[in-house]
Amino acid sequence: GTEGVGKQHTYVETGSIRYVYQPIEGLYLLLVTTRGSNIVQDLDTLRLLTKVVPEYAQVTEEDVTRNVFDLIFAFDEVITLGYKENTTLEGIRTNLEMDSHNEKLHLMVVQSKMNEANKAAQDAAKVIRSAAGSRAMPGIGNTPSLEGSSGG
């Protein structure tokens, strides 16, 4: 394959695929494209992605692994359906903060519904217990004992 070596990035082309990669401290960021893609745009995308990584994780294998979902969400803001979005680091931050806010609101609504359901279940249990106390309800609290029957 063909190799291009620059100060900040390197690429390797094999068959119809181009691998564009850039070292970030002790790790590498790899962008896989087709050979027909625009290398200048690919490098621009790679440059933006290398700015994204330290925003959401320390550049260590352990921390990148720990924050992999945040990184994936941020990368998703940069690349959609294989094409680079016209965005900036600030735009990515804003979108992810909005998503985070919406997620928190959603979780608050879900928690509220769960609390309401638990309260309704407790209320229903009280009604059932009081009904069982006032009259015998089959299967609830009045199960006949098997100790008295002689088997024989």
Side-chain angles (χ1 to χ4, degrees):
T2 311
E3 287 195 27
V5 179
K7 289 184 180 178
Q8 295 181 337
H9 58 266
T10 305
Y11 66 91
V12 177
E13 293 178 338
T14 60
S16 61
I17 298 174
R18 177 184 297 132
Y19 302 91
V20 187
Y21 57 96
Q22 181 169 339
I24 309 178
E25 297 178 30
L27 303 175
Y28 286 91
L29 186 61
L30 174 68
L31 182 68
V32 181
T33 67
T34 63
R35 281 182 77 166
S37 70
N38 182 326
I39 185 74
V40 175
Q41 288 177 345
D42 294 345
L43 293 172
D44 186 44
T45 302
L46 188 62
R47 254 188 306 277
L48 183 54
L49 292 173
T50 58
K51 290 177 185 174
V52 164
V53 173
E55 280 288 315
Y56 295 95
Q58 293 176 13
V59 187
T60 64
E61 189 172 342
E62 183 180 304
D63 204 53
V64 166
T65 302
R66 187 178 314 113
N67 294 292
V68 70
F69 290 107
D70 292 333
L71 287 167
I72 289 171
F73 294 142
F75 285 1
D76 189 51
E77 293 294 318
V78 176
I79 301 170
T80 303
L81 299 174
Y83 294 97
K84 181 181 177 294
E85 289 288 326
N86 187 17
T87 190
T88 62
L89 199 52
E90 188 57 41
I92 294 165
R93 262 190 231 118
T94 301
N95 287 342
L96 291 182
E97 285 170 11
M98 284 187 343
D99 286 348
S100 177
H101 178 71
N102 288 341
E103 181 182 10
K104 286 176 187 164
L105 285 175
H106 172 73
L107 291 175
M108 287 169 63
V109 168
V110 167
Q111 185 63 49
S112 173
K113 287 181 180 179
M114 287 174 62
N115 292 345
E116 289 174 19
N118 285 337
K119 174 101 173 73
Q122 289 171 356
D123 292 348
K126 284 180 187 173
V127 167
I128 291 171
R129 276 196 298 276
S130 73
S134 63
R135 66 178 196 278
M137 289 181 65
I140 298 180
N142 257 353
T143 310
S145 171
L146 298 177
E147 291 173 9
S149 50
S150 57

